Amino acid sequence: MSFGQSENINTWISQINSEFKTAVSVDCVIFGYDKQHLRVLLLKSDMEPFEDHYSLVGDLVRPDENLDESANRILTERTGLHDLYMKQVAAYSDIGRHPLGRVITIAYYSLVKLDKDLLDIAKNNKNLKWKKVKDIDKLAFDHNDILDDCLSKLKVQLREKPIGFQLLPKKFTLKQLQNLYETVLDLELDKRNFRRKLNALNILIDLDETQSDVNHRPAKLYAFDVEAYRKRKRKGFNFGL
Amino acid sequence: MSFGQSENINTWISQINSEFKTAVSVDCVIFGYDKQHLRVLLLKSDMEPFEDHYSLVGDLVRPDENLDESANRILTERTGLHDLYMKQVAAYSDIGRHPLGRVITIAYYSLVKLDKDLLDIAKNNKNLKWKKVKDIDKLAFDHNDILDDCLSKLKVQLREKPIGFQLLPKKFTLKQLQNLYETVLDLELDKRNFRRKLNALNILIDLDETQSDVNHRPAKLYAFDVEAYRKRKRKGFNFGL
DNA sequence: CCAAAAGTGTTTGTAATACACCCATGG
DNA sequence: CCATGGGTGTATTACAAACACTTTTGG
């Protein structure tokens, strides 16, 4: 950032303290995948005029943290998890977007594996809910815009980078991975082509294990090979789905 | 944005006015293309400890404008032009990024056709300079990070969307367009394949005009067909270079 | 032995790549 | 008539898409 040469430092500081007063917040679109559905963690709003609307989870940015740290803090506070996959998406700044004054918010999306513990946080707190993305209607503030943008970004990234694994358990079957892609991208994929492509990418570890307790032929289990991906990333990588 | 249920409105407002004090700015990476080189409009900084470093052009966000409006204002103030192509890229927020205090900045990149008038703004103002991207070394603040991110974004967008035309005059030759792609993306393209591809895209208007005053066979002139692009955009469009 | 999902190859069409010569103009 | 860049087509290769049957397990 930089300022016109005409302004001096004292003018500038006093401006910030008076008419340029602005709050900065972070809002997180926390995506979770649940074998069937893509979900987002929402919070029941208690703020006029949005009572009983759901909103994204967010908070003001504190003086001792940057935006990434702020997003991480919010994620940990809400989910109890650390080091989630997380991506800054955009800043939202319309004058009237927040009823209490000028609040500019920076949106992040993040990805979590929806296991029982995580589903429980919405049971232990009446105000939290894992809503299916498809079922979300009117949210508080401009959070529908934010959600739409984050979902678009997720879809783009899912096609280009191996981030889908963040939404699955460590060990997964190829069918689970395919289902994830089909659900999130809202399309149908050919089983054989999908498997061939994944095999060619060489980013999966064959665990030599199979499912148990299924009443059909058990599927092989795989894990994401972070190292193999890192090595290949340098010379360009495109998931290409 | 939303806040924990425990906080009430008065707490929150007083927080903004005291410890949450933050300034928000916009910084613009203004790219211009000059037949040979990709350039960025830079400004000589007069701020400690960055005297004589160049910086991006930016300003504080005013109370009556959102970020897009702020970026537009900065662009118009610096270039005299309106309605430039413009894209929000990311927010930068490290604690120590600005010597005068907590300043969170949102970066935009924008594209202009570098004609004589625009080149003159750097001649009429000693502090402004159209620097070749390749020649830029240490900038003030965290502006190298911002520039790098904006350049990456530009490269991605250039491959996917027909934004290159924003850097060229209204009438251009296929060679000029190819040169632009080769320069910005730093690669070599096959002339015949490039022309075939562009022809297939059907987003150019053949103006039935040719260059004049060149000492070789004059090239045909084309213009970007905005309407044709708009119609095809709905059903997906990828420049695919 | 039945139900249910896992696993596996081949063919066909389409898009990307590589490559060399003639053309129009100004000087 | 020469120098300079403009303009054009074809053959090859790699990748994407479409498609059906056999295998393994639990009940």
Side-chain angles (χ1 to χ4, degrees):
Chain A
M1 203 211 46
S2 51
F3 307 104
Q5 303 93 291
S6 58
E7 291 140 356
N8 71 42
I9 292 174
N10 291 333
T11 311
W12 188 76
I13 288 178
S14 78
Q15 274 180 334
I16 291 179
N17 291 343
S18 55
E19 71 272 24
F20 286 79
K21 207 175 293 171
T22 303
V24 180
S25 66
V26 164
D27 283 298
C28 296
V29 176
I30 307 176
F31 289 112
Y33 178 72
D34 176 12
K35 283 162 193 169
Q36 307 278 357
H37 301 286
L38 184 68
R39 295 175 185 271
V40 176
L41 187 63
L42 297 177
L43 178 68
K44 197 167 271 181
S45 170
D46 60 350
M47 194 180 291
E48 281 271 13
F50 298 117
E51 296 103 327
D52 298 324
H53 282 76
Y54 281 95
S55 73
L56 301 170
V57 295
D59 198 1
L60 288 176
V61 176
R62 298 194 177 157
D64 62 341
E65 62 187 10
N66 64 23
L67 293 167
D68 285 4
E69 289 161 351
S70 189
N72 264 314
R73 175 175 56 78
I74 293 164
L75 291 172
T76 301
E77 281 171 3
R78 294 296 179 178
T79 66
L81 300 175
H82 296 268
D83 302 318
L84 294 178
Y85 179 89
M86 196 189 79
K87 185 97 189 161
Q88 192 191 106
V89 174
Y92 298 81
S93 61
D94 282 351
I95 309 288
R97 66 172 294 282
H98 201 289
L100 296 184
R102 185 79 200 260
V103 184
I104 291 176
T105 197
I106 287 86
Y108 282 74
Y109 83 80
S110 61
L111 303 177
V112 301
K113 311 173 207 295
L114 266 193
D115 55 18
K116 193 169 172 316
D117 285 352
L118 270 176
L119 288 166
D120 280 348
I121 65 174
K123 289 195 180 117
N124 298 335
N125 183 336
K126 283 275 176 206
N127 291 314
L128 281 173
K129 181 146 190 183
W130 284 106
K131 268 244 185 191
K132 293 179 195 169
V133 170
K134 297 209 162 182
D135 294 347
I136 293 173
D137 44 4
K138 183 76 194 75
L139 297 175
F141 313 99
D142 51 1
H143 287 189
N144 288 94
D145 296 334
I146 296 178
L147 175 60
D148 291 349
D149 292 348
C150 286
L151 185 57
S152 299
K153 185 96 176 182
L154 170 62
K155 287 181 181 180
V156 170
Q157 302 261 310
L158 201 60
R159 284 175 178 274
E160 293 175 351
K161 294 185 177 172
I163 60 169
F165 308 105
Q166 306 288 341
L167 290 165
L168 290 177
K170 279 213 175 67
K171 300 175 180 189
F172 53 86
T173 68
L174 292 176
K175 192 68 202 295
Q176 287 175 321
L177 188 60
Q178 185 181 338
N179 281 342
L180 165 66
Y181 273 84
E182 291 181 330
T183 303
V184 178
L185 298 178
D186 196 27
L187 46 74
E188 292 199 347
L189 294 168
D190 180 90
K191 180 163 60 163
R192 280 173 291 189
N193 292 340
F194 182 81
R195 281 154 187 256
R196 179 178 27 254
K197 171 149 282 175
L198 254 113
N199 194 36
L201 287 174
N202 258 315
I203 51 168
L204 293 187
I205 300 167
D206 183 339
L207 294 173
D208 278 316
E209 289 178 61
T210 53
Q211 290 178 304
S212 49
D213 304 322
V214 286
N215 63 338
H216 54 77
R217 176 172 173 178
K220 294 182 76 174
L221 291 171
Y222 295 85
F224 174 50
D225 189 341
V226 188
E227 261 321 301
Y229 170 64
R230 261 198 211 124
K231 280 179 196 158
R232 291 219 284 109
K233 198 164 57 169
R234 288 152 219 252
K235 45 176 179 174
F237 180 93
N238 198 314
F239 212 96
L241 271 167
Chain B
M1 203 212 48
S2 51
F3 308 103
Q5 303 92 290
S6 58
E7 292 141 356
N8 71 43
I9 293 173
N10 291 333
T11 312
W12 187 76
I13 289 178
S14 77
Q15 273 180 333
I16 291 179
N17 292 343
S18 56
E19 71 268 29
F20 286 80
K21 208 175 294 172
T22 303
V24 180
S25 66
V26 164
D27 282 298
C28 295
V29 177
I30 308 176
F31 288 113
Y33 178 71
D34 176 14
K35 282 162 193 168
Q36 308 277 357
H37 302 285
L38 184 68
R39 296 176 184 270
V40 176
L41 187 63
L42 297 178
L43 178 69
K44 198 167 271 181
S45 170
D46 60 349
M47 194 180 290
E48 281 270 16
F50 298 117
E51 296 102 327
D52 298 323
H53 282 75
Y54 280 96
S55 73
L56 301 170
V57 295
D59 198 1
L60 289 176
V61 175
R62 299 195 177 156
D64 61 341
E65 63 187 10
N66 64 24
L67 293 167
D68 285 4
E69 290 161 350
S70 190
N72 264 313
R73 175 174 56 78
I74 292 164
L75 291 172
T76 301
E77 282 171 4
R78 294 297 179 179
T79 65
L81 300 175
H82 295 268
D83 303 317
L84 294 178
Y85 179 88
M86 197 189 80
K87 185 98 189 160
Q88 192 190 106
V89 173
Y92 298 81
S93 61
D94 282 351
I95 310 288
R97 64 173 295 283
H98 200 288
L100 295 185
R102 185 78 199 261
V103 184
I104 291 175
T105 198
I106 288 86
Y108 282 74
Y109 82 81
S110 61
L111 304 178
V112 301
K113 311 174 206 294
L114 267 193
D115 55 18
K116 193 169 171 315
D117 284 352
L118 271 175
L119 289 167
D120 279 348
I121 65 174
K123 288 194 179 117
N124 298 334
N125 183 336
K126 284 275 178 209
N127 291 313
L128 281 174
K129 180 145 191 185
W130 284 105
K131 268 246 186 190
K132 292 180 196 168
V133 170
K134 297 210 162 182
D135 294 348
I136 293 172
D137 45 4
K138 183 77 194 77
L139 297 175
F141 312 99
D142 51 2
H143 286 189
N144 288 94
D145 296 335
I146 296 178
L147 175 59
D148 290 349
D149 291 348
C150 286
L151 185 57
S152 299
K153 186 94 176 183
L154 169 62
K155 287 181 180 180
V156 170
Q157 301 262 310
L158 201 60
R159 284 174 177 275
E160 293 175 351
K161 295 186 177 173
I163 60 169
F165 309 104
Q166 307 288 341
L167 290 165
L168 289 177
K170 279 213 174 66
K171 301 175 179 189
F172 52 86
T173 68
L174 292 176
K175 192 70 204 295
Q176 287 175 321
L177 188 60
Q178 186 181 339
N179 280 342
L180 165 66
Y181 273 84
E182 291 181 332
T183 303
V184 177
L185 298 178
D186 196 27
L187 45 75
E188 292 199 346
L189 295 168
D190 180 271
K191 181 163 59 163
R192 281 173 291 191
N193 294 338
F194 181 80
R195 281 155 187 254
R196 183 183 18 259
K197 171 150 280 174
L198 254 111
N199 194 36
L201 287 174
N202 257 315
I203 50 167
L204 292 187
I205 300 167
D206 183 340
L207 295 173
D208 278 316
E209 290 179 62
T210 53
Q211 290 178 303
S212 48
D213 304 322
V214 286
N215 63 338
H216 55 77
R217 175 174 173 179
K220 293 182 77 173
L221 291 171
Y222 295 86
F224 174 48
D225 190 340
V226 187
E227 262 320 302
Y229 170 64
R230 262 198 211 124
K231 280 180 195 157
R232 293 220 283 108
K233 198 164 58 169
R234 289 151 218 253
K235 45 177 178 172
F237 180 93
N238 198 315
F239 212 96
L241 272 164

